[in-house]
Amino acid sequence: MTINPWGSEVVNAEKLFSEFGLQKISDNIREFFMEELLFERGLIIAHRDFDKYLREFKNGKKIAVMSGIKPTGMYHMGSLQAAQEIVMLQKRLNAKVFYSIADLEAYADNGLTYEKSHENAISNIADLLAIGFDEKQAYVYKQSREMRVIQLANIFATHTTKATVEAIYGERHMGLYFAAFVQMGDIYLPQHESFGYEHVVVPVGLDQDPHIRLARDLAHKDHGLKLNPPSSIYHKTMLSLDGAKKMSKRNPDSMITLYEDEKSLKRKLANAFTGGRDSAEEQRRLGGRAEICPIYHLGYDLFDADDLRNKSRWDRCYGGKLLCGECKKEMLNIILEWLKQHKEKRDEKEHIAKEIVSGKYYDTG
C-alpha cells in the first residue's frame, strides 16, 4: 500500500494502524491535553512517539514543532485545522516552531512560480498570525532561501535509493521526489547544530505519513549526522463540501477559504453534500446522519466550542428535528461571524507577515 501525500484522497486510518504501526492516542496523552478541544473531541487521532516527546518536555529538554504550508493559494478550513494544532502546541508546550514556506514543493507539484508563492505566502502567514501564532517563538523561512535545508536534502538524497522512495511514495516524477527530500531537510532543520533542538514533533494529516516514515528511516542511515527520529501527531481529515475527499485547494467549490464573502459562502453551503435523507418527510421520520455530514463537522471540528450546542445539533439531526437547510443557515451565521473577527485580526498582522516572508524579520540562525 502506498499513499500519495500530494493527492486529495481520504486515507483509511485503520490501514495505517495495522500496516504502518501508527499508535493510538493514549489516555495519558489525552489527560495531559484534557483542556484542549483538539484532543477532547478526538480530532487528533494518532501519533508516532509523541509520548516520548512529551517525556522529554517534562524533563526540561529543548523541544520544537516543525510544520509549514505549501503556498498555492488562500488558507482553507483544512489548513485552519492544522494551524490551530500548531498554535496549540506552541502555547501549551512553549515550543519553538519551525515553519516552512514550501515554495520548492509548490513549483514541483503545482508549477507555481516563486513570485506567486511569495504573494500567497504573505496571506498564509497573516492568517497564521491571526489564529494566534507567536512569531517571536518561531522561525519562518522559504525553502528556496534556506541553504541548511537544501544541504540536508542533498545529504539525505545521496544516502537513499530510488527503490526506497518508490516503495514509500509509488512512482512519481523526479520533481516530487526532490520535494520530498527538501521536506526531509525541513523536518531535520531544528536539529541542525545552529539550532540544537533534538526533540521535534511534526503535526500532519494522515495522508502525510509517507514523509514521516521516510524521515524516521533517515535517522538511522550512515550519513555522518547524529539525528533523533521525529515524533508526529495526526489530525482527522477535514472533509470537502462534496463529502467525497479531503478539503483541498485543487477543488475550489468544495472548500471554504478564510477569505469567503457572505454570497460565496452561502452558495457553497447551499450546494454542499449533507448527511440528510432524500426528502424532508423521510428525514423527519428516519433522522439525519451527522457523522458523514461536512456541515456538522465544520461546527464540531472548527467553529463551535460550545459542547452543549454541538450535542443539541447532533441530537436534533438524528431525531429528525433539524433539517439540512436549517442546519446550513445556522452554520452560515456561525462561520460568518468567525470570518469577520478573523479578518480584523489578519488585517492587523499583514505588515508583520510581509516582513516575515521577505526575510527581514528573522536572522539566519
Side-chain angles (χ1 to χ4, degrees):
M1 171 187 172
T2 59
I3 297 168
N4 179 10
W6 301 284
S8 55
E9 270 63 40
V10 175
V11 175
N12 185 322
E14 291 307 316
K15 286 188 176 181
L16 287 177
F17 286 118
S18 62
E19 295 186 29
F20 295 118
L22 253 66
Q23 300 161 273
K24 304 273 188 181
I25 297 296
S26 67
D27 290 341
N28 287 339
I29 293 174
R30 194 170 287 107
E31 183 178 347
F32 184 84
F33 291 98
M34 61 187 299
E35 297 179 0
E36 303 292 347
L37 282 179
L38 287 163
F39 284 93
E40 182 185 317
R41 293 187 174 176
L43 303 178
I44 295 177
I45 59 177
H47 73 102
R48 291 189 188 275
D49 287 347
F50 189 50
D51 50 348
K52 296 178 182 178
Y53 174 85
L54 289 177
R55 187 161 60 244
E56 299 298 340
F57 162 73
K58 292 174 184 177
N59 289 334
K61 300 292 181 64
K62 288 178 67 174
I63 59 168
V65 178
M66 197 308 103
S67 189
I69 187 77
K70 186 168 63 168
T72 53
M74 294 177 285
Y75 249 54
H76 60 77
M77 299 312 176
S79 306
L80 173 62
Q81 188 177 43
Q84 290 175 335
E85 194 172 342
I86 296 160
V87 171
M88 180 271 294
L89 290 170
Q90 186 185 46
K91 291 182 176 179
R92 182 68 174 80
L93 303 178
N94 193 32
K96 175 95 167 186
V97 176
F98 289 75
Y99 197 81
S100 168
I101 297 169
D103 55 349
L104 292 178
E105 184 177 1
Y107 180 81
D109 188 23
N110 305 89
L112 216 66
T113 66
Y114 298 126
E115 291 77 15
K116 185 60 178 174
S117 287
H118 179 91
E119 178 184 325
N120 290 339
I122 292 172
S123 71
N124 294 162
I125 298 302
D127 281 318
L128 185 63
L129 292 168
I131 292 161
F133 184 75
D134 182 0
E135 70 279 9
K136 298 180 181 65
Q137 185 65 12
Y139 176 53
V140 183
Y141 62 92
K142 288 182 182 179
Q143 285 178 331
S144 61
R145 299 290 299 275
E146 178 48 82
M147 286 308 300
R148 287 166 291 198
V149 166
I150 304 303
Q151 290 164 358
L152 286 168
N154 184 57
I155 293 171
F156 296 145
T158 302
H159 290 83
T160 308
T161 66
K162 185 181 178 185
T164 296
V165 292
E166 285 184 346
I168 293 175
Y169 295 108
E171 189 172 344
R172 310 291 172 193
H173 66 71
M174 295 306 294
L176 290 180
Y177 291 154
F178 173 73
F181 282 109
V182 173
Q183 284 206 37
M184 299 305 103
D186 287 329
I187 289 171
Y188 281 109
L189 180 62
Q191 294 191 44
H192 191 278
E193 60 184 1
S194 55
F195 294 110
Y197 289 85
E198 295 182 5
H199 307 289
V200 181
V201 67
V202 188
V204 291
L206 291 169
D207 60 325
Q208 300 299 299
D209 187 55
H211 296 317
I212 302 301
R213 282 187 276 122
L214 176 58
R216 288 171 63 84
D217 182 62
L218 286 169
H220 306 293
K221 297 285 187 181
D222 184 17
H223 39 49
L225 302 174
K226 184 180 178 181
L227 301 172
N228 287 328
S231 303
S232 53
I233 53 175
Y234 301 82
H235 52 259
K236 182 181 140 187
T237 301
M238 175 61 64
L239 284 176
S240 63
L241 293 180
D242 60 17
K245 298 182 178 181
K246 71 174 185 178
M247 191 171 286
S248 167
K249 300 170 190 173
R250 297 178 192 274
N251 186 355
D253 281 339
S254 70
M255 70 169 184
I256 299 173
T257 75
L258 274 58
Y259 289 74
E260 298 287 348
D261 58 33
E262 181 173 356
K263 182 179 179 181
S264 174
L265 180 60
K266 188 174 183 179
R267 175 183 62 81
K268 289 184 177 183
L269 291 183
N271 294 325
F273 170 82
T274 70
R277 305 291 179 172
D278 292 337
S279 68
E281 185 279 326
E282 186 178 1
Q283 184 152 336
R284 291 190 179 96
R285 179 166 50 87
L286 299 176
R289 295 158 293 184
E291 78 279 2
I292 65 170
C293 180
I295 305 302
Y296 170 79
H297 284 290
L298 282 170
Y300 187 81
D301 296 0
L302 290 176
F303 295 110
D304 198 342
D306 190 310
D307 288 335
L308 292 177
R309 196 159 51 222
N310 277 288
K311 185 178 185 306
S312 171
R313 195 175 295 120
W314 175 280
D315 291 343
R316 285 182 292 139
C317 174
Y318 266 89
K321 297 178 180 178
L322 178 63
L323 299 182
C324 295
E326 298 166 354
C327 185
K328 287 178 177 180
K329 289 180 182 176
E330 190 175 305
M331 197 54 57
L332 173 68
N333 292 330
I334 290 173
I335 297 175
L336 282 175
E337 179 58 29
W338 188 94
L339 289 175
K340 177 185 175 183
Q341 294 179 17
H342 178 76
K343 182 181 183 304
E344 292 173 357
K345 296 174 186 175
R346 183 177 64 229
D347 290 347
E348 293 175 1
K349 300 289 186 177
E350 187 173 9
H351 69 286
I352 301 175
K354 288 179 179 177
E355 291 182 1
I356 290 172
V357 175
S358 68
K360 296 177 181 176
Y361 192 89
Y362 299 100
D363 60 27
T364 57

